[in-house]
Amino acid sequence: MKKKITLGIESSLIESIKSKETFQLPIMEKDGENILKSESQKASERLLEKLAISETISDFEMKAIIQDHVKNKYA
């Protein structure tokens, strides 16, 4: 079931949008950082940080790790 939601918006905001001026909502941004982040965004940031500091391994080592994992999982 869908419901309509009516929002009250100030006329100055509408005029700035019509004139294509850029604007920022203070709720969404603070000093260039997004305050409201989803769990998946937080998880991806943590993963990128871990990958940045982790060591690289060769393809042969990766293949061996995957084979061991598959053996243990399906054995």
Side-chain angles (χ1 to χ4, degrees), residues 5-72:
I5 298 175
T6 306
L7 299 175
I9 300 175
E10 293 183 20
S11 60
S12 62
L13 181 61
I14 294 172
E15 291 302 319
S16 66
I17 292 170
K18 285 182 180 179
S19 64
K20 296 184 182 181
E21 294 176 10
T22 59
F23 67 98
Q24 294 180 352
L25 297 175
I27 298 170
M28 298 301 289
E29 289 190 16
K30 181 178 178 182
D31 298 325
E33 277 192 41
N34 190 357
I35 295 172
L36 304 173
K37 293 183 181 177
S38 67
E39 289 298 319
S40 60
Q41 288 174 328
K42 292 175 186 176
S44 64
E45 285 180 357
R46 289 191 302 266
L47 176 63
L48 289 174
E49 289 171 2
K50 285 182 183 178
L51 290 174
I53 61 173
S54 66
E55 298 178 13
T56 58
I57 60 173
S58 68
D59 290 337
F60 180 74
E61 290 174 316
M62 182 58 73
K63 185 176 180 179
I65 291 169
I66 292 171
Q67 287 175 345
D68 289 341
H69 173 72
V70 171
K71 282 182 187 177
N72 291 334

